[in-house]
Amino acid sequence: MSSVAKKKGFGGHIWDYLTTVDHKKIAILYLAAGTLFFAIAGFEALLIRVQLMIPNNDFISAGLFNELLTMHGTTMLFLAATPLLFAFMNAIVPLQIGARDVAFPFLNALGFWLFFFGAVFLHLSFFLGGAPDAGWTSYASLSLYSPGHGIDFYVLGLQISGAGTLISGINFIVTIITMRAPGMTFMRMPLFTWTSLVSSTLILFAFPPLTAGLFLMLVDRMFGANFFDHTMGGNTIIWEHLFWIFGHPEVYILVLPAFGLFSEIIPVFARKRLFGYSSMVFATILIGFLGFMVWAHHMFTVGLGATANAIFAVATMAIAVPTGMKVFNWILTIWGGSIKVTVPMLYALGFIPSFVAGGVTGVMQAAAPLDYQLHDSYFIVAHFHYVIVGGIVTALFGSAHFYWPIMFNRALNEKLGVLTFWIFFIGFHLTFFLQHFLGLMGMPRRVFTYMADQGWDTFNFISSIGALMMGLGVILLVINVLISIKTPPLNRRDYWGDGRSLEWALETPLPFYNFKQLPLVRGYDPYWIEKEEGNKEGMVYAEPMGDIHMPNNSILPFIMSIGTFIAAFGALYSPWGDQAKAGTAESVSPGLSLALLIGGLGLTVLCMITRSVKDDYGYHVHKEEVEQVEKELAEFRAKGGKR
């Protein structure tokens, strides 16, 4: 049962991670998988920028450009940003609320493996006939007539991956509502926990419309159902509604946890309580609510009419108000603080102007007449990336430095971190700032090349140089991570010295049960309160030392996800699809298609039945074992992390 690292063979480590339900290990799985797909999507972006570096370039073909463009957007949003944020939610939220794990550990593992196999399935498209090529939004008029299986990979991969995200979102809602430590009222929860709760609630309501749209797209392509084919009585615009009812809240699903991460970083390095905590909570909830009221601002040029456009324009402008409240509160937290500039704080300071720039251009586009001019131009690309990179990626990089000591009992190198920040930050602004002007000069997005001497050449060249700088920054971050593996273990609590919430009260390496006794929370910033009162333990306890209940590991989530993976191939190579009938996509015999489909789903259902029939009550770590683990950990720390 010990948390102290024991010598295991390679196979033992692999089995441990395949079967784990521990939120800390699942966080590492999300971090590793998210980093892999972030690197893939980043490489795709570099290929796009190299192609656009000079006019009339033939570095890649038009068809491959469309595939790279589609996969870059899809991968970054669904398969990189989302899992990386879930990595921090898994690693930190249970610690912040004083819980020993999430509410449903089995579902936590299932959510990860569904996401992972959906992502792998989607990326196999590059090797099995071609990737999706209709843009990350996959508008129906393009995707229905796309030859080959690219769009089928998109639909099926996102269905599987989206099911995992939905499961994880439900899990965090239940965890945060029901598993808070004694004294941890809602208005004492850290901001990252609050933003994780609101983001998970958005997942609960935003993913079903996407799931419905993907299902309709699937039966359109598999069976010619004609939901979206306007030539057969369908409605192409319905796809846009279904997609953006999901797609706009998706931006807040990603950016709200990023806000929460910065709301943890800034008070620590300003050495001040977060300014306006109650208003920050209110603003978070309001952003989540208004996030569902603005989806049609992506459709101002569709022809919904002046009334609809006006309503959605006003709603879009309104959502800037709670966002502005947050920005002012971050600035006022810094104002008058005893500021310590570290790598996480650098990312926080860089985030504020970058995200504000993205927000301002968003409010500009809320004016429907201006959006008519800017629509589908590079101005939109610049705005979107200022929000996503300036808001979310900076949060991920800053939080990696901030929480690395808790997650891995190591610290990332500060000097290399500062160098990484400046290279990435300068590269980011070089890449996307000039794209605003490219858009204003009329350059449309999603074009694979352009004619010379239109005034776009220099700006595109500089933009591509900036993208290469961003790539170098990411490489330096990876090098920093690799270097940290060889650094000595920290074996301490409160690495930054000014931690405020419960996760900093725990000494690393963390025991597998997190808390030997559940803490008693006596106010907002509970660890800060205990430090001010001279409590060396960092917390007071709400219960005496006793037995701890923990969940059993299970291989079933992994097998269930493999089942959906197999079934997806049965649907993919269906002989009944329009593309298969037209001879533009490969198919298999009806028998084999049904065998894969039924066999894969049968395997998943069999695992569900096994899970239902077999009583799995977990196990108890007895008081004596807890004391033994604590003793071993103390010896481990005293020896500097040596066995």
Side-chain angles (χ1 to χ4, degrees), residues 556 603-616:
L556 290 180
L603 180 62
T604 301
V605 171
L606 183 63
C607 289
M608 293 168 69
I609 293 170
T610 303
R611 174 73 179 170
S612 301
V613 171
K614 181 186 173 187
D615 291 329
D616 184 357

Side-chain angles (χ1 to χ4, degrees), residues 189-260:
M189 291 197 316
L191 244 293
F192 180 53
T193 299
W194 257 115
T195 54
S196 297
L197 175 60
V198 174
S199 177
S200 298
T201 306
L202 294 184
I203 287 171
L204 180 63
F205 290 104
F207 268 76
L210 176 69
T211 303
L214 288 170
F215 176 77
L216 297 180
M217 178 76 74
L218 180 66
V219 294
D220 262 18
R221 290 200 38 112
M222 274 184 67
F223 304 117
N226 299 322
F227 285 106
F228 301 125
D229 188 347
H230 70 281
T231 65
M232 299 296 290
N235 189 335
T236 305
I237 304 303
I238 294 298
W239 167 264
E240 294 189 32
H241 280 293
L242 287 170
F243 185 88
W244 288 118
I245 289 170
F246 151 80
H248 200 85
E250 166 70 2
V251 175
Y252 298 108
I253 287 168
L254 298 176
V255 89
L256 282 176
F259 287 172

Side-chain angles (χ1 to χ4, degrees), residues 341-357:
V341 180
T342 60
V343 174
M345 192 62 170
L346 273 177
Y347 279 103
L349 294 171
F351 150 78
I352 293 174
S354 303
F355 185 80
V356 167

Side-chain angles (χ1 to χ4, degrees), residues 5 53 64 67 105 150 158 166 194 196-197 236 274 309 316 376 388 397 417 463 479 574 632:
M53 198 170 199
L64 179 58
E67 292 180 6
L158 290 189
L166 183 59
W194 257 115
S196 297
L197 175 60
T236 305
L274 183 69
N309 282 2
T316 304
D376 270 343
I388 298 298
F397 287 7
S463 186
I479 290 170
S574 154
E632 287 182 17

Side-chain angles (χ1 to χ4, degrees), residues 7 14 83 148 152 180 248 252 272 298 332 385 414 436 493 598 632:
K7 285 188 177 179
I14 295 295
D152 302 321
R180 288 166 287 125
H248 200 85
Y252 298 108
K272 274 178 65 183
H298 295 272
L332 289 167
H385 284 86
E414 278 285 299
H436 291 101
R493 61 167 61 91
I598 296 170
E632 287 182 17

